[in-house]
Amino acid sequence: MFKRQNPSAPERSKDLTADGGALSMSHNDSRSFFNLSQLVLSAGQIKPSPALKHSKITYFEVEIVDVQSKKQICIVDKVPPASTLLDVKHKFHKACPQWYPSRVGLQLERKGPFLKDSISIQSLAASSIITLYFTDLGQQVGWTTFFLTEYTGPLLIYLLFYIRLSTIYDQVESRKNFRHPVVHLACFCHCLHYIRHLLETLFVHKFSEGHTPLKNMIKGCAFYWGFTSWIAYYINHPRYTPPSFGHKQVFYAALAFLMCEAGNHFINVALAHQTNSGNRTCFPSPTYNPFTWLFLLVSCPNYTYEAGSWISFTVMTQTLPVGIFAFLMVIQMSLWAQKKHKLYLKRFYPEVRRKAAMIPIIF
């Protein structure tokens, strides 16, 4: 058996000395590390890495101010730079539920134009705070609803007069008097015109910005529905007088009407095809279809054909209400054509500069 020997005093003191030396060395190392850290901090702050620097996102604050009173309505905060004006309208609607996005009009200046929903917030920013002026546009309706309502009314109203309701005409007089063939032809042409408008609204036209004030729809319906009632009352009246030159006048006028209707349809299809394809770098050019050759002379041939339809309908029926309606339509469409022609001159100057707006003779 071996006995365990206790270390001697000198050896024990030697071990303690070694431990103390190790402790003293670790203490010196920590002080050296502390001094080095102080030196680095005194030299300047360590710069953040590029990844952290680029990860910061700058938000904008949008101040909504009433255009009339100039009082602040609310502040839409934390708006990302990639947001559009429509995103701001949705956030504004959450803060003020009584104003939904479609009836909110925002301007960068009090007397400036209304900004489009698709515009980027970053493009409006001169600083981190953007001030926009608010205008209540009133109750809004979609463009599709607008045109469907406006064109369905004349279609139904004319048919009510065509069947000669007892509440409108005297039934005894209606049975006694013979209907001229032009009365039936006029009903066919009138219905064809508005059915074409309805189908194009549903399947051809593409509407931008989505909404229009309700008061515009009321005015449009009052105009179209009122004139349709006046026109249909005279054409379908038992005492209606046929055109002066008889069947020959009716035939040629009806043929011109149908040609204008076909031309209007093909022009609208050509314009819709240009919009759907996204090619807006050049003005629509004529194709093999002869009805599109009018693009060579005017910049708004759809208005030219529309005016031709109503002038032909006036000659075919030879009634004063149709003539007044056609006259007003030509004036209104000429104003629309001039406005579009100015936009086309800015966008497609080389192609449009030698063309008229709506009437080929007037340059």
Side-chain angles (χ1 to χ4, degrees):
M1 297 282 301
F2 290 96
K3 290 184 179 180
R4 185 178 179 183
Q5 294 181 357
N6 291 328
S8 59
E11 289 177 349
R12 196 181 305 164
S13 63
K14 189 176 180 180
D15 293 338
L16 290 173
T17 306
D19 293 340
L23 290 172
S24 64
M25 287 179 64
S26 63
H27 181 67
N28 291 334
D29 290 342
S30 63
R31 291 195 61 180
S32 301
F33 180 75
F34 178 78
N35 293 333
L36 179 62
S37 301
Q38 291 293 331
L39 179 64
V40 172
L41 291 174
S42 63
Q45 294 183 350
I46 300 175
K47 293 183 178 180
S49 62
L52 292 175
K53 184 177 180 179
H54 290 291
S55 65
K56 292 183 178 179
I57 300 176
T58 303
Y59 291 98
F60 294 102
E61 289 186 357
V62 180
E63 180 188 21
I64 309 294
V65 179
D66 186 81
V67 71
Q68 298 293 337
S69 62
K70 299 182 184 179
K71 292 181 179 180
Q72 183 189 97
I73 300 175
C74 73
I75 292 180
V76 181
D77 58 351
K78 293 185 178 181
V79 179
S83 299
T84 62
L85 198 69
L86 183 60
D87 299 327
V88 174
K89 288 183 178 182
H90 281 293
K91 291 186 176 183
F92 178 55
H93 174 57
K94 289 182 179 180
C96 304
Q98 68 270 29
W99 292 309
Y100 51 89
S102 60
R103 70 181 294 168
V104 174
L106 295 177
Q107 302 160 273
L108 198 59
E109 299 175 356
R110 289 188 66 199
K111 296 183 179 180
F114 290 110
L115 301 172
K116 294 183 178 180
D117 290 345
S118 58
I119 195 169
S120 172
I121 288 297
Q122 196 168 13
S123 63
L124 303 174
S127 64
S128 60
I129 300 177
I130 305 170
T131 301
L132 297 177
Y133 294 94
F134 161 76
T135 301
D136 183 9
L137 300 177
Q139 192 171 355
Q140 304 287 298
V141 293
W143 280 110
T144 302
T145 304
F146 175 90
F147 287 113
L148 290 178
T149 306
E150 191 174 70
Y151 296 142
T152 303
L155 180 64
L156 299 178
I157 289 171
Y158 196 97
L159 291 175
L160 291 176
F161 283 90
Y162 176 73
I163 62 177
R164 290 183 175 178
L165 294 175
S166 58
T167 56
I168 301 175
Y169 303 111
D170 181 70
Q171 290 299 302
V172 177
E173 194 174 16
S174 298
R175 295 191 197 98
K176 188 184 299 184
N177 292 345
F178 172 74
R179 289 199 191 193
H180 194 274
V182 70
V183 175
H184 304 292
L185 183 61
C187 180
F188 170 78
C189 292
H190 191 275
C191 292
L192 177 67
H193 177 78
Y194 284 102
I195 289 173
R196 177 184 64 80
H197 272 305
L198 291 171
L199 293 176
E200 288 177 352
T201 300
L202 293 173
F203 304 110
V204 177
H205 296 302
K206 302 296 179 184
F207 303 108
S208 58
E209 294 297 328
H211 297 87
T212 185
L214 178 62
K215 60 182 180 181
N216 289 348
M217 188 179 77
I218 294 174
K219 289 191 293 185
C221 290
F223 177 78
Y224 279 97
W225 295 14
F227 262 103
T228 300
S229 301
W230 192 23
I231 291 169
Y233 176 80
Y234 274 87
I235 295 177
N236 296 287
H237 199 280
R239 298 182 183 179
Y240 168 73
T241 304
S244 303
F245 296 96
H247 294 290
K248 188 176 291 187
Q249 177 180 343
V250 173
F251 173 77
Y252 286 113
L255 182 62
F257 177 87
L258 294 176
M259 291 180 64
C260 289
E261 287 294 302
N264 201 340
H265 172 70
F266 288 120
I267 293 297
N268 288 332
V269 170
L271 293 173
H273 178 72
Q274 182 203 22
T275 304
N276 292 337
S277 62
N279 182 20
R280 298 191 179 189
T281 58
C282 58
F283 188 75
S285 57
T287 63
Y288 63 89
N289 188 340
F291 290 104
T292 63
W293 294 351
L294 199 57
F295 273 122
L296 295 171
L297 300 176
V298 296
S299 59
C300 301
N302 52 332
Y303 293 144
T304 307
Y305 282 123
E306 183 78 10
S309 294
W310 286 112
I311 293 173
S312 303
F313 195 76
T314 302
V315 175
M316 181 179 67
T317 58
Q318 195 174 310
T319 53
L320 180 63
V322 182
I324 295 175
F325 181 75
F327 176 73
L328 295 176
M329 288 295 291
V330 169
I331 293 177
Q332 180 62 71
M333 286 184 291
S334 64
L335 295 176
W336 289 339
Q338 288 292 337
K339 186 177 179 180
K340 282 193 174 183
H341 187 69
K342 291 179 181 178
L343 295 176
Y344 288 153
L345 284 174
K346 294 179 181 179
R347 192 180 300 172
F348 315 111
Y349 175 72
E351 297 93 339
V352 184
R353 64 189 180 92
R354 293 186 179 275
K355 298 176 182 177
M358 190 181 83
I359 303 175
I361 301 173
I362 302 175
F363 287 87

